[in-house]
Every structure is written in C-alpha cells, then in structure tokens.
Amino acid sequence: QTNCGAESVAIGLESLNTGAGDRSVGIGKEAGKTNCAADAVYIGAFAGSVSSSTSTIGIGKNAGRSINTGSTNCICIGEESGNTIGSSSNYVVCIGSQAGYSSPADGSVNIGRRAGYSNGGTKCINIGLLAGFNNGGNDNTIILNATGSILNSNGNDRLFIKPIRAESDLTGLLQ
C-alpha cells in the first residue's frame, strides 16, 4: 500500500493501495484500491475499487465500485450494488444484488435485486425485485413491486404499488 491514510486497515491484495483517506477500511482484493476517501469501509473483492466518496460503505463484490467525488454517506450492500454512483449523489442506499447499479440519484433508496437498477431520480424509493428498474430519471417516486416483473415510474411525484388485490368491499382500507 502506498499513501494509506492514518488509522486505516487494509487486508487483501492491493486493498487501499493508492491514496486512501484516514480511518478507512479495505478488506478483499482491490477493496478501496484507488483514492479511497476518509471514513470509508469496503469489504469484498473490488468493493469501492475506484471510489472517492467519504463516509461510504460498500459490502459485497463490486459494491460501491465507482462512487465519484462529491457523493457522500452512501451505503451499498450486495454484489454490484451501487456499482456506479455519480457526483453529488448523497445519502444513497442500495441493498440487494445490483440494486442501484448505475446512477442512483441523491437521496434514493433501492432495496431488492435490481431495484433502481439504472437512471434513478432523486429522492426515490424502490422496493422489491425490479422495482424502478429504469426509472427514467423521475423524481420523488415510490415503487413497491412484488410481481417479479419490471415496474417503472412514468412521471415525477408518483406512487406505484403492484400487485393490488381487487376488492369490492373497501371498508377499513386507507382512503
């Protein structure tokens, strides 16, 4: 390791290899390899391998692999979750295999396999397999998906829930 920050821990081939910030952790092959910022934790092969985001967590192979400068406080748990997060995308949460894979936006929450997979909007919540798979950059949406098929938003400020049971008696349901 070269230029590994103070109070940092590096375990694995080329983990925290170049320019790691203070108090960072890299465990696994190339975890936090290049320009890992301060207070970051990367566990798993290639997790955070080219990331430069402070106070970020990546757990799993390629989790948080490329989080750009200017993004902070991101959490990526699962293989390839938060694989590529652009600059100025703060407080992004990606949990599940390939959740928030490409370009999740500021304040988004993606939970489930391939939830919020690409082109996410700001302050969006995608829960379930393929929820918000390609959200079209729509902002302020909530997508709850239990179908196993892709469910996307078609505009800003919207709620999508699928499936919804057909019921003739609506007594006691939220209105």
Side-chain angles (χ1 to χ4, degrees):
Q1 284 79 8
T2 57
N3 301 319
C4 192
E7 301 172 351
S8 293
V9 176
I11 301 171
L13 180 66
E14 295 187 334
S15 66
L16 300 185
N17 193 51
T18 306
D22 293 343
R23 300 167 307 278
S24 293
V25 176
I27 299 174
K29 181 180 181 179
E30 297 186 21
K33 177 182 178 181
T34 305
N35 298 322
C36 177
D39 303 308
V41 176
Y42 295 110
I43 300 172
F46 312 105
S49 61
V50 290
S51 289
S52 52
S53 173
T54 60
S55 302
T56 296
I57 298 170
I59 299 174
K61 181 180 178 185
N62 286 318
R65 185 187 64 80
S66 178
I67 303 176
N68 294 321
T69 302
S71 296
T72 62
N73 298 292
C74 297
I75 299 172
C76 306
I77 301 174
E79 183 176 10
E80 296 183 327
S81 63
N83 188 63
T84 304
I85 298 177
S87 59
S88 302
S89 292
N90 300 305
Y91 308 102
V92 173
V93 176
C94 302
I95 300 174
S97 176
Q98 296 183 332
Y101 180 83
S102 178
S103 303
D106 193 53
S108 66
V109 176
N110 305 290
I111 300 173
R113 185 169 189 266
R114 293 188 172 178
Y117 182 83
S118 68
N119 201 18
T122 61
K123 298 172 188 72
C124 290
I125 299 171
N126 300 301
I127 299 176
L129 173 66
L130 302 171
F133 180 81
N134 183 348
N135 207 24
N138 295 309
D139 298 331
N140 307 314
T141 62
I142 299 172
I143 300 175
L144 305 176
N145 187 15
T147 66
S149 299
I150 292 172
L151 180 60
N152 290 317
S153 170
N154 60 3
N156 295 329
D157 305 309
R158 298 183 184 187
L159 168 67
F160 298 86
I161 301 173
K162 200 169 183 183
I164 295 180
R165 179 181 67 183
E167 185 66 47
S168 59
D169 180 12
L170 301 177
T171 306
L173 294 179
L174 294 175
Q175 297 180 4

